[in-house]
Amino acid sequence: MIINHPLLGPRDAAEFVYLGDASLIDRPDWQADDAMEQFHAYGYLRENPAGEHKELWYHEQGDRSWLVVTRNTLTHEITAVELARDVARARGRDK
Amino acid sequence: MSQKNRIDGGLVNREKSVKFRFNEKWLRGYEGDTLASALLANGQLLVGRSFKYHRPRGVFTSGSEEPNALVQLRDGARQEPNTRATMVELFDGLYATSQNHRGSLEHDLLAVNDLLSPFLSAGFYYKTFMWPKAFWEKLYEPIIRSAAGLGKLSMLPDADSYDKGFLHCDLLVIGAGPSGLMAALTAGRSGARVILADEDFRMGGRLNSETLEVAGQSGPDWANNAVAELRSMDNVRLMSRTTVYGAYDHGIYGALERRTDHIADGAGKPRQVLWRLYSKRAVLAAGATERPIAFGNNDRPGVMLAGAARSYSNRFGVTPGQEVAVFTNNDDGWRTAQDLVAKGVHIPAIIDSRDSVPDIKIDGAKVYTDTAVMDTIGRKGVKAITLTNGKVIPVDALAVSGGWNPNVHLTCHQRGRPEWRDDLCAFVPGGDLPVGMAVAGAANGALTLAAALAEGHAQAAVQLKDLGFKVAKSDVPEAEDEPRNCAAFWHVAESKKRAWVDLQNDVTVKDIKLANTEGFRSVELLKRYTTMGMATDQGKTSNIAGLAILAEEAGKSVPEVGTTIFRPPYTPVPIGAFAGRSRGKDFRPYRLTPSHKWAEEYGASFVTVGNWLRAEWYTRDGEKGWRDSVDREAQMTRESVGICDVTTLGKIDIQGKDAAAFLDKVYSNTFSTLPVGKVRYGLMLREDGICYDDGTTARMGENHYVMTTTTANAVLVFRRLEFARQCLWPNMDVHLISTTDGWAQFAVAGPKSRDLLRKVIDAEHDISNEAFPFMACGHVTVCGGIPARLFRISFSGELAYEIAVPARYGNSMMAVLNEAGAEFDAVPYGTEALGVMRIEKGHATGNELNGQTTALNIGLGKMVSQKKECIGQVLSQRPEMIRDDAIKLMGFRPVDRSRKLIAGAHFLNKNDPADMAHDQGWMTSVAYSPNLGHHIGLGFIKHGDARKGEIVRAVSPVHGVAMDVEIVSAHFVDPEGERLRG
Amino acid sequence: MRYSGFKVFWEGLRGNKGWTRAWREPDPKPEYDIIIIGGGGHGLSTAYYLSKVFGITNVAVLEKGWLGSGNIGRNTTIIRSNYLLPGNEPFYEFSMKLWENLEQDTNYNSMVSQRSILNLFHTDGQRDAYVRRGNAMFLAGADAELVDAQQLREELPFLDYNNARFPIKGGLFQRRGGTARHDAVAWGYARGADSRGVDIIQNCEVTGIDIENGRCVGVQTSRGAIRARKVAMCVAGSSSRVAAMAGMRLPIESHVLQAFVSEGLKPVLPGVVTFGAGHFYVSQSDKGGLVFGGDIDGYNTYAQRGNLPVVEDVCEGGMAIMPMIGRARLLRMWGGVMDMSMDGSPFIDKTHIGGLYFNGGWCYGGFKATPASGYCYAHLLARDEPHPVATQMRLDRFMTGNLIDEKGSGNQPNLH
């Protein structure tokens, strides 16, 4: 596969390390009343869609960016690649 | 033997005679021959035995689809089983042997299987060999295994080397037949970067095998000229002997180039190169494969595909026989008759299954219409054929054509499905091609020469326009639209004899009918039950006929039945080629520590730790075994001072205004309260609350920390920290850089360590206990101004330091430390002594932090702060993970102090039975403690913290050993930790 | 029809005209006691044991494609019970005992061949871990044998002992491990279940799960609605997709595992060899092909195909450990979609919806589990309580913290 890195251009997927669903960005609030339930869902439950999937890849053999890649799990077609940090900020994550 | 079947013409070089050996016979051919053409030229019809019935078999095709003519090529460590004679270029001294027979090729003892065939029908083995039970492994299976298989491995390491390479192009053209050449010419002339790959050693595809003309030139001449023009272009790369074997995601294709297979001695050059081709677009011009018709005993040597017969006569100057009959259901078969007759070969009969046949006069041939071949007569070669009208015709070869199947394989490698075309009686590529792929020529169902040329041009032009190229004007050369009418005719129903569909795996029409009767009606079930299409040719000549017969039996149409799935590789690829240079010692890279050279010179033995090689101990004169060395190193360190290269520990430099806050989140304990100039032990959890890694982190400045990780997790922890920094807390001002390779770091441990370091560290730095107490860190200089970092940390439990210098000084630093230590009898120590001392101190390492244990388990439950946010804190509190009776890390010593403990032994309460329900835990690490004079161990045992002093059994059934051990504190030496503060 | 050597002989004499269908092709009835979704190995074995052991025969197996088209049709055929943890090892040992009697039980030769499985180790730490595992196997009633490099040299002289990047220090054998003919396992179970009255319905895709008042009452299919008292999901590889029809999110990701087979060769490998440090395992089939595999590709996918980096990685492992296979040719590569669970271990459990059951999360351990998975699932379906060897394979274990993490890789499925 080829991942079109937003800063570096097309790169072979072998340069990257895969983590999983981009929902891993949405780490729950540790002080919420139902923190345990939330962390259980965050840590363990997955949509695992057959189709478009937003997922985290890390450019370990490159610039060490974490990327959010939108890829179809049926065809492997990649339709978007974003810097994970931008996605995280857009989702309201801070310090 | 003379070349009795050699005839005039062809593209072989008659100036260059080539000697080769088949079994014990020395034979001759010409440069430009394949092994198959040379064997045929010499009248060697019998070349192998079939898989199941050990039937005699001859050359059946002229290409990579060959099911029959498999040989073992070369010998010794270069012996290559199952090699298709049709793909082997003849070279001087070539040695090939036939395979899959017991006794000689001519007199194969296992041919008895053929007589037993009534009892060996499809799937028979699923119905028997069940009793007596023990006989399967002992008797039945060994017999089946030795009879099955084909060629033999040499059992020696492959003596050749293989390379890998990567190429990029705008347009990849797969296949250099008429449409491929035309596509490449169009693209090349337009300035695109083109790769043209073809599996043959001579480009031109079927043009080299036909008597068709292109633009008024002979086919081979036109191909030659096209290749010459392409070769003159800088933007075109021609790759002959190169099979594109698979289509992968995003325009990536796998290809195998055979570099030295066609020469006697590769002179050490890589035998083959495995290419990864990165294409923007691809044109698949892979041609078509002829298929046979199934009739009685259609597998005898001498029976051959009609197109192959034409190849041998037109390209190689070889006739398959002196009396060659032709059996066809299509116009193309007639071309074989025409071409052979033109070469002076006698064609006694043309048998066409259709009632309306081309109006072609073949001299000397009798034409039978609406007739089929029902049977063949002969043993190791066909002697005569029997027609459905009862007529028996003496022949020594039979050319068969059942029509042509487009080579759709690569169009289906990404799960695309081909579509049926009734007019061709064949599958053509479907609409769901791999992204960026177009198909041209015969592969696309354009079976005539004129159509193939036109499509090659047109498909390339479309791709080029898409890529933004201005397509250069190319005229499609004039060529014939030769007649290609074909009737659906798969097998001769009148045949009472076994009629082969899959030649190599011995699957007959009856087998397919039986599978259908028994309910194996999906084409996938048919394949799996009968093994049809599972041989080395993957059913290239057999699959379509097989499923057509299944369709007929099941009362369905061929497209309703569908095909099995086409999987890579298109043709088999050596495992060695996929491995390339990554074998032997080069399987994975080595990482060497900065003091590796010094350690080699001083008698170190090395051990693999991940990718690192580390000194495990240093042997001194007189030491008889490793224990002598390790005991000495551990003892001398505790008595005086020892030096160990600990560079392999991961080092991560962490800087930024939020560095402290960041560390509080990634470590379970707090680092923001750590004063500048101090070090703290840190425990890192995974998000699931399990221990992930540990190490010490030093605060070198207000906003500057240096973290150490374990050797094994250096890369992983860094990755996790980047995840936390970029994805979880993206607005923190914190930056990370791995400095593992930047600093050489040495532990200097033992009561004399300060004295030793005083000699090395420049005098202006005060390292007295007061100025530089336990857990201090700071910048120093050594040896007159070399920058260094000093940490007062201890893994051994002694007064100890770690000193780091820029990696380039590492080897010298090791030498300097040892020289300075000479007066204290300083010893360099390796990983074994390191391990002994850490077990004596009860420190957890990889065997304890194995990804299954919690902070509570290793006795550090209190380190998981619940007052600040950190990774892993929430899920670490799940009920099953905080049970009182959870396993705890404890020390163990044998009740009989002379006994040796075993890591991996399980604990059982004294009178409990040895079963899983009573399992209390396991021993993780053991060592002989030279300081205590007996073996000691660490281990996890249920509720261990409440069981000090209890005696339990440690059992290791795999060693046949059980012994009593006492549960003790894990801190065997200096439990109060006085030494390290001194 | 009973299969036997005599029957084969008799039919051979009569021109093989007397063979009859191995199973029926029934149309679905409007209602069943139990519907099993998925006609792969586990679904068929569940049906078999339901009918044979628990006497429940009003059962339908609904299969989207052809019988046995699940991962039973694309795996590397290895059977073993060399697990470590109490949540797993007794289960796999139970499976091994079922394997050992499978042919006689089903009257179908699925070629269970106990030719041994070997796991190599290369460091002291790996040895310690294998000693721990071997001892755990003993405690669960399985067999294990620790061997050193010298013994291995005698038994498997073709491994690379002299020039290896990761020197071989020894290995752990399970002599009772080995291989089986994967398709035949499915066929044997199918034939056995069918003969006891189970309806195996091919080309019948489940398109919806009917839930009324919090209870599952049946399914919608491409061949109409079918009601049932109990519905049992058994679709590893597609678990998330099917469970989504019941509104469930699972602790599972779908990943592709590639597998490979070489051209046929005369016998060279006596048993299964696992080279964990090189991500490579291999056996040789009765037909002669080297059947081998390695790591999963590592990204979520439902495409039954993989990519080149893993192909090369696996072959590198193969050449590193047995350099004699360089000239053997890779004939075919394929990919199967795995239910990769969050701790690498499976589930056989009720769901929170009454009458709806779940079996999945087999990672790449599914084939060897086929008999026990079916048996234990049948037990759960028949008695509504877990079989004693499958009590930990629960869906709620991530909430309680009772993990079954053999590799210690944590909640990241592609590391298991």
Side-chain angles (χ1 to χ4, degrees):
Chain A
M1 288 196 285
I2 292 170
I3 294 173
N4 194 3
H5 191 301
L7 305 176
L8 303 174
R11 295 297 179 115
D12 195 292
E15 295 177 11
F16 295 80
V17 173
Y18 181 81
L19 178 63
D21 195 311
S23 67
L24 287 167
I25 289 172
D26 305 320
R27 191 169 182 275
D29 175 5
W30 66 292
Q31 291 174 307
D33 290 340
D34 59 347
M36 185 66 90
E37 284 72 21
Q38 285 194 40
F39 268 90
H40 169 256
Y42 167 75
Y44 290 103
L45 301 182
R46 299 286 179 265
E47 294 291 339
N48 193 22
E52 197 168 90
H53 188 231
K54 283 185 183 296
E55 57 198 24
L56 287 159
W57 293 75
Y58 175 57
H59 199 200
E60 187 149 273
Q61 311 294 326
D63 74 341
R64 310 195 308 263
S65 288
W66 278 92
L67 305 179
V68 174
V69 175
T70 306
R71 191 179 56 93
N72 188 307
T73 58
L74 290 165
T75 64
H76 297 171
E77 185 192 11
I78 292 175
T79 48
V81 185
E82 303 154 272
L83 289 174
R85 168 172 269 159
D86 294 344
V87 174
R89 283 175 175 155
R91 292 198 197 173
R93 294 206 70 83
D94 191 5
K95 285 191 176 183
Chain B
M1 200 189 296
S2 65
Q3 298 185 35
K4 68 173 194 175
N5 284 336
R6 185 68 74 173
I7 53 177
D8 287 344
L11 305 171
V12 292
N13 181 2
R14 290 176 197 256
E15 308 292 306
K16 277 218 165 170
S17 172
V18 174
K19 244 173 86 177
F20 70 103
R21 188 150 70 109
F22 178 67
N23 290 339
E24 295 319 308
K25 274 183 253 180
W26 280 99
L27 303 168
R28 282 189 177 276
Y30 295 116
E31 187 183 80
D33 262 328
T34 62
L35 175 58
S37 69
L39 287 169
L40 284 171
N42 285 279
Q44 179 70 42
L45 290 186
L46 174 63
V47 292
R49 292 276 172 171
S50 69
F51 183 83
K52 183 174 173 185
Y53 298 138
H54 289 252
R55 300 261 299 183
R57 291 292 167 77
V59 173
F60 190 67
T61 74
S62 58
S64 62
E65 70 272 31
E66 176 62 33
N68 277 350
L70 305 184
V71 298
Q72 276 175 184
L73 198 63
R74 304 180 192 256
D75 54 7
R78 292 191 163 82
Q79 177 174 308
E80 188 188 334
N82 306 332
T83 304
R84 285 157 299 216
T86 49
M87 295 301 284
V88 175
E89 287 173 60
L90 206 62
F91 57 80
D92 213 36
L94 179 148
Y95 177 47
T97 50
S98 53
Q99 57 182 36
N100 206 39
H101 47 81
R102 197 167 291 168
S104 69
L105 171 64
E106 286 73 20
H107 305 282
D108 177 6
L109 297 175
L110 287 174
V112 66
N113 287 0
D114 197 33
L115 300 175
L116 297 175
S117 66
F119 312 109
L120 309 181
S121 60
F124 79 97
Y125 30 74
Y126 300 125
K127 299 166 179 164
T128 180
F129 304 136
M130 287 176 275
W131 300 98
K133 204 173 132 184
F135 274 33
W136 174 249
E137 282 99 345
K138 300 248 177 328
L139 181 68
Y140 303 132
E141 191 181 40
I143 291 173
I144 291 171
R145 285 170 81 85
S146 69
L150 290 163
K152 286 187 185 131
L153 286 181
S154 67
M155 305 302 281
L156 300 169
D158 188 347
D160 278 313
S161 64
Y162 302 83
D163 258 348
K164 288 182 188 173
F166 301 81
L167 293 171
H168 296 256
C169 62
D170 295 312
L171 188 72
L172 168 65
V173 180
I174 302 165
S179 59
L181 285 172
M182 207 51 228
L185 282 171
T186 305
R189 287 168 184 164
S190 305
R193 283 194 304 167
V194 179
I195 293 174
L196 174 62
D198 192 278
E199 65 178 353
D200 205 330
F201 57 92
R202 183 181 186 111
M203 289 194 164
R206 282 302 298 181
L207 287 174
N208 293 325
S209 292
E210 304 289 0
T211 47
L212 298 168
E213 290 192 347
V214 182
Q217 306 169 40
S218 79
D221 284 349
W222 184 83
N224 263 347
N225 292 334
V227 169
E229 183 184 342
L230 290 166
R231 187 162 286 130
S232 73
M233 298 179 188
D234 290 339
N235 54 327
V236 176
R237 184 181 180 115
L238 296 175
M239 301 178 78
S240 59
R241 302 188 179 94
T242 302
T243 305
V244 176
Y245 62 80
Y248 296 89
D249 282 318
H250 305 164
I252 299 173
Y253 291 81
L256 180 77
E257 183 179 15
R258 296 174 294 280
R259 292 292 273 270
T260 65
D261 280 346
H262 61 290
I263 46 185
D265 179 359
K269 295 206 176 94
R271 178 188 166 212
Q272 300 178 338
V273 181
L274 190 82
W275 294 102
R276 230 186 269 178
L277 308 178
Y278 294 76
S279 69
K280 289 181 182 156
R281 296 297 166 93
V283 170
L284 178 70
T289 301
E290 198 172 15
R291 63 195 181 217
I293 297 168
F295 55 87
N297 292 310
N298 59 335
D299 66 326
R300 291 197 203 285
V303 179
M304 179 186 286
L305 288 172
R310 220 148 67 222
S311 281
Y312 288 117
S313 80
N314 292 335
R315 176 172 169 182
F316 297 102
V318 173
T319 178
Q322 305 302 321
E323 296 283 323
V324 185
V326 173
F327 175 30
T328 185
N329 66 357
N330 67 83
D331 297 349
D332 198 60
W334 288 73
R335 302 185 55 79
T336 300
Q338 278 177 300
D339 287 2
L340 285 173
V341 163
K343 292 263 195 158
V345 177
H346 182 229
I347 306 290
I350 299 173
I351 304 103
D352 197 315
S353 65
R354 303 170 296 177
D355 44 19
S356 134
V357 299
D359 184 18
I360 299 171
K361 178 91 183 75
I362 306 289
D363 283 342
K366 192 152 167 41
V367 174
Y368 298 90
T369 59
D370 200 13
T371 307
V373 177
M374 198 166 74
D375 194 6
T376 70
I377 297 159
R379 282 189 62 215
K380 282 159 196 163
V382 60
K383 297 265 188 289
I385 55 176
T386 310
L387 308 188
T388 43
N389 61 13
K391 215 158 162 59
V392 176
I393 303 169
V395 298
D396 58 4
L398 174 65
V400 182
S401 180
W404 291 74
N405 294 321
N407 288 328
V408 301
H409 305 67
L410 268 76
T411 70
C412 301
H413 280 181
Q414 293 175 23
R415 310 281 294 176
R417 291 293 187 156
E419 286 165 8
W420 181 255
R421 250 177 71 183
D422 257 333
D423 59 327
L424 300 178
C425 306
F427 282 102
V428 296
D432 45 6
L433 299 176
V435 175
M437 182 193 281
V439 194
N444 202 30
L447 292 175
T448 71
L449 180 54
L453 290 163
E455 248 192 23
H457 169 70
Q459 293 288 21
V462 170
Q463 302 308 314
L464 292 166
K465 270 181 209 149
D466 271 6
L467 292 175
F469 285 93
K470 195 171 171 304
V471 180
K473 240 182 111 59
S474 288
D475 288 329
V476 177
E478 229 172 273
E480 199 179 332
D481 247 330
E482 68 275 25
R484 281 286 186 173
N485 293 321
C486 179
F489 185 77
W490 311 101
H491 70 113
V492 180
E494 293 88 337
S495 286
K496 297 285 176 283
K497 302 286 179 54
R498 280 175 298 160
W500 270 257
V501 178
D502 184 322
L503 288 166
Q504 191 180 133
N505 270 356
D506 282 323
V507 180
T508 65
V509 173
K510 276 183 191 163
D511 290 322
I512 295 170
K513 290 181 177 176
L514 177 64
N516 180 62
T517 302
E518 295 196 281
F520 295 83
R521 293 179 177 181
S522 148
V523 58
E524 287 284 348
L525 287 172
L526 171 76
K527 166 187 134 180
R528 287 148 194 266
Y529 194 60
T530 63
T531 75
M532 184 185 80
M534 292 169 80
T536 62
D537 60 324
Q538 291 282 285
K540 288 194 177 65
T541 57
S542 62
N543 275 350
I544 304 299
L547 55 93
I549 294 165
L550 176 70
E552 191 179 290
E553 283 296 304
K556 291 179 181 170
S557 67
V558 177
E560 271 179 300
V561 166
T563 64
T564 55
I565 295 167
F566 294 89
R567 301 272 196 185
Y570 175 66
T571 52
V573 177
I575 293 171
F578 277 117
R581 301 276 179 180
S582 298
R583 51 185 285 202
K585 296 248 188 259
D586 298 329
F587 170 48
R588 293 292 177 256
Y590 284 102
R591 296 178 79 182
L592 302 181
T593 62
S595 65
H596 187 82
K597 194 162 163 276
W598 186 92
E600 266 183 336
E601 286 163 9
Y602 281 77
S605 163
F606 292 96
V607 61
T608 298
V609 182
N611 280 338
W612 292 96
L613 276 189
R614 294 186 73 181
E616 50 184 349
W617 58 76
Y618 298 79
T619 307
R620 288 279 164 86
D621 289 344
E623 289 175 341
K624 290 192 187 65
W626 66 274
R627 264 284 302 284
D628 289 354
S629 312
V630 173
D631 288 359
R632 171 183 51 77
E633 289 170 13
Q635 234 162 343
M636 286 305 295
T637 300
R638 293 216 187 280
E639 281 170 22
S640 180
V641 58
I643 303 154
C644 181
D645 189 329
V646 295
T647 305
T648 62
L649 295 176
K651 300 184 250 340
I652 301 171
D653 205 81
I654 300 168
Q655 300 195 39
K657 284 207 283 288
D658 294 316
F662 179 73
L663 283 170
D664 282 349
K665 292 205 192 294
V666 298
Y667 271 129
S668 70
N669 50 327
T670 307
F671 276 80
S672 51
T673 56
L674 181 69
V676 173
K678 284 288 190 182
V679 187
R680 183 170 283 171
Y681 172 80
L683 177 66
M684 208 177 274
L685 304 183
R686 292 194 309 233
E687 192 67 273
D688 67 353
I690 300 286
C691 292
Y692 188 47
D693 199 65
D694 69 346
T696 55
T697 289
R699 192 165 196 173
M700 307 300 288
E702 183 60 27
N703 296 325
H704 181 196
Y705 290 80
V706 173
M707 174 187 282
T708 57
T709 74
T710 61
T711 300
N713 284 338
V715 171
L716 306 176
V717 167
F718 190 85
R719 187 189 300 163
R720 280 283 157 151
L721 296 188
E722 282 292 357
F723 175 74
R725 188 180 79 92
Q726 296 177 39
C727 300
L728 301 182
W729 298 291
N731 289 335
M732 276 193 173
D733 177 7
V734 60
H735 296 271
L736 313 172
I737 190 154
S738 168
T739 60
T740 306
D741 294 320
W743 294 87
Q745 194 151 322
F746 302 91
V748 182
K752 298 287 184 197
S753 56
R754 188 184 294 127
D755 299 339
L756 188 158
L757 283 172
R758 274 205 178 115
K759 296 176 66 182
V760 175
I761 293 172
D762 295 338
E764 64 264 36
H765 305 289
D766 183 358
I767 59 168
S768 67
N769 197 34
E770 297 67 38
F772 205 82
F774 180 54
M775 288 304 207
C777 67
H779 297 279
V780 295
T781 56
V782 295
C783 304
I786 307 294
R789 289 169 170 178
L790 186 66
F791 310 90
R792 187 158 162 203
I793 52 180
S794 176
F795 198 52
S796 58
E798 300 297 326
L799 167 67
Y801 300 81
E802 286 186 15
I803 186 160
V805 294
R808 64 183 182 279
Y809 298 116
N811 204 55
S812 312
M813 192 67 195
M814 187 66 171
V816 166
L817 289 168
N818 278 282
E819 277 164 32
E823 63 176 284
F824 312 110
D825 291 328
V827 291
Y829 66 94
T831 54
E832 283 296 317
L834 183 83
V836 169
M837 290 188 277
R838 74 98 187 166
I839 294 171
E840 288 178 334
K841 289 299 292 179
H843 292 310
T845 58
N847 277 15
E848 290 78 31
L849 301 172
N850 66 355
Q852 298 166 325
T853 50
T854 63
L856 181 72
N857 296 147
I858 60 168
L860 300 177
K862 294 207 178 86
M863 277 185 79
V864 182
S865 170
Q866 297 296 324
K867 296 199 191 93
K868 51 116 185 162
E869 179 178 26
C870 73
I871 287 174
Q873 103 205 104
V874 173
L875 291 176
S876 74
Q877 299 303 308
R878 283 175 285 178
E880 290 291 330
M881 292 165 69
I882 52 170
R883 292 163 62 112
D884 284 343
D885 64 351
I887 52 168
K888 301 282 164 54
L889 184 64
M890 300 302 295
F892 295 86
R893 61 184 180 199
V895 170
D896 172 355
R897 297 281 196 276
S898 68
R899 298 203 67 168
K900 188 172 181 274
L901 297 174
I902 293 171
H906 286 240
F907 300 124
L908 295 166
N909 291 339
K910 280 228 49 164
N911 295 313
D912 278 353
D915 61 32
M916 213 157 213
H918 294 88
D919 195 1
Q920 293 290 302
W922 73 101
M923 192 89 79
T924 54
S925 304
V926 302
Y928 174 79
S929 166
N931 296 289
L932 298 173
H934 60 81
H935 273 86
I936 57 173
L938 299 177
F940 289 107
I941 190 162
K942 283 184 184 167
H943 219 172
D945 47 344
R947 297 173 69 177
K948 255 184 232 168
E950 191 181 325
I951 308 286
V952 295
R953 278 199 303 150
V955 301
S956 185
V958 295
H959 293 96
V961 168
M963 74 185 81
D964 288 348
V965 296
E966 182 186 349
I967 306 174
V968 296
S969 158
H971 309 292
F972 290 94
V973 169
D974 186 28
E976 305 305 319
E978 285 161 6
R979 294 187 194 175
L980 42 71
R981 292 171 206 280
Chain C
M1 177 183 289
R2 191 155 178 85
Y3 289 158
S4 67
F6 174 76
K7 180 80 185 161
V8 169
F9 180 70
W10 178 246
E11 284 300 330
L13 293 178
R14 298 169 57 208
N16 288 302
K17 291 197 171 15
W19 296 112
T20 55
R21 319 180 52 148
W23 39 72
R24 299 165 295 132
E25 285 178 13
D27 290 323
K29 295 190 283 193
E31 186 163 2
Y32 291 91
D33 288 343
I34 296 177
I35 283 175
I36 297 166
I37 307 175
H42 291 218
L44 292 168
S45 76
T46 302
Y48 176 79
Y49 292 112
L50 269 176
S51 63
K52 178 152 194 223
V53 178
F54 299 94
I56 301 174
T57 57
N58 186 20
V59 175
V61 177
L62 308 184
E63 168 53 50
K64 177 174 76 170
W66 39 278
L67 176 164
S69 60
N71 284 333
I72 190 113
R74 52 183 82 80
N75 60 72
T76 43
T77 81
I78 295 167
I79 60 171
R80 59 186 172 91
S81 62
N82 56 355
Y83 282 75
L84 170 68
L85 299 174
N88 275 332
E89 177 59 11
F91 172 87
Y92 287 100
E93 178 54 21
F94 179 60
S95 205
M96 183 59 81
K97 293 204 166 79
L98 292 170
W99 280 119
E100 286 172 330
N101 286 299
L102 189 66
E103 283 108 346
Q104 293 72 28
D105 192 47
T106 58
N107 181 229
Y108 206 86
N109 188 354
S110 35
M111 302 183 186
V112 174
S113 179
Q114 294 182 287
R115 297 206 310 272
S116 84
I117 180 165
L118 169 71
N119 284 70
L120 295 169
F121 54 76
H122 312 271
T123 66
D124 289 351
Q126 289 167 7
R127 181 201 57 217
D128 295 349
Y130 276 116
V131 170
R132 179 189 170 201
R133 176 186 298 237
N135 287 331
M137 291 160 66
F138 263 101
L139 294 184
D143 64 307
E145 182 184 337
L146 193 71
V147 292
D148 62 20
Q150 188 51 42
Q151 285 166 275
L152 284 176
R153 260 176 206 272
E154 285 159 24
E155 200 162 331
L156 303 168
F158 48 80
L159 300 183
D160 191 349
Y161 298 94
N162 301 324
N163 191 39
R165 171 66 182 82
F166 298 106
I168 297 169
K169 286 208 160 187
L172 186 72
F173 267 113
Q174 183 181 27
R175 299 283 180 186
R176 288 162 62 237
T179 58
R181 170 78 181 96
H182 56 304
D183 291 318
V185 175
W187 302 335
Y189 279 131
R191 186 166 160 270
D194 174 86
S195 70
R196 287 172 177 83
V198 172
D199 285 354
I200 300 167
I201 302 161
Q202 303 182 62
N203 303 309
C204 179
E205 181 174 1
V206 170
T207 54
I209 294 177
D210 293 334
I211 297 164
E212 292 171 7
N213 305 318
R215 224 194 127 69
C216 180
V217 294
V219 294
Q220 299 291 321
T221 78
S222 55
R223 296 175 69 174
I226 311 175
R227 289 182 73 84
R229 291 196 304 112
K230 293 180 178 177
V231 172
M233 292 182 265
C234 200
V235 287
S238 302
S239 289
S240 296
R241 285 203 267 189
V242 174
M245 295 177 196
M248 291 173 64
R249 267 202 313 166
L250 298 174
I252 283 172
E253 289 179 1
S254 296
H255 287 261
V256 66
L257 177 68
Q258 299 192 63
F260 310 90
V261 64
S262 79
E263 296 178 343
L265 300 162
K266 291 296 177 198
V268 290
L269 283 184
V272 185
V273 176
T274 307
F275 172 38
H279 313 291
F280 175 78
Y281 55 89
V282 62
S283 65
Q284 189 172 16
S285 76
D286 285 343
K287 271 192 78 196
L290 301 174
V291 182
F292 57 100
D295 277 349
I296 56 176
D297 269 37
Y299 42 80
N300 282 54
T301 179
Y302 284 91
Q304 288 176 332
R305 60 190 174 82
N307 274 297
L308 282 171
V310 166
V311 182
E312 296 181 21
D313 186 68
V314 169
C315 291
E316 288 169 8
M319 279 299 279
I321 201 68
M322 43 181 80
M324 68 165 175
I325 62 174
R327 296 178 108 85
R329 293 189 201 84
L330 197 163
L331 173 63
R332 190 170 169 91
M333 50 180 98
W334 65 95
V337 177
M338 313 281 122
D339 270 12
M340 294 302 296
S341 75
M342 284 287 166
D343 61 358
S345 293
F347 310 96
I348 302 176
D349 201 2
K350 302 175 192 177
T351 69
H352 67 285
I353 298 165
L356 184 63
Y357 298 76
F358 182 74
N359 174 319
W362 291 98
C363 302
Y364 34 88
F367 178 68
K368 71 185 80 70
T370 305
S373 170
Y375 198 108
C376 295
Y377 203 21
H379 186 282
L380 178 73
L381 287 164
R383 306 209 174 138
D384 264 325
E385 59 184 53
H387 188 280
V389 298
T391 53
Q392 283 191 47
M393 295 177 172
R394 303 205 21 189
L395 281 163
D396 70 354
R397 65 176 182 263
F398 303 116
M399 200 62 217
T400 63
N402 196 9
L403 314 174
I404 319 176
D405 188 347
E406 291 271 336
K407 272 176 92 175
S409 300
N411 57 331
Q412 193 181 325
N414 66 348
L415 299 182
H416 287 290

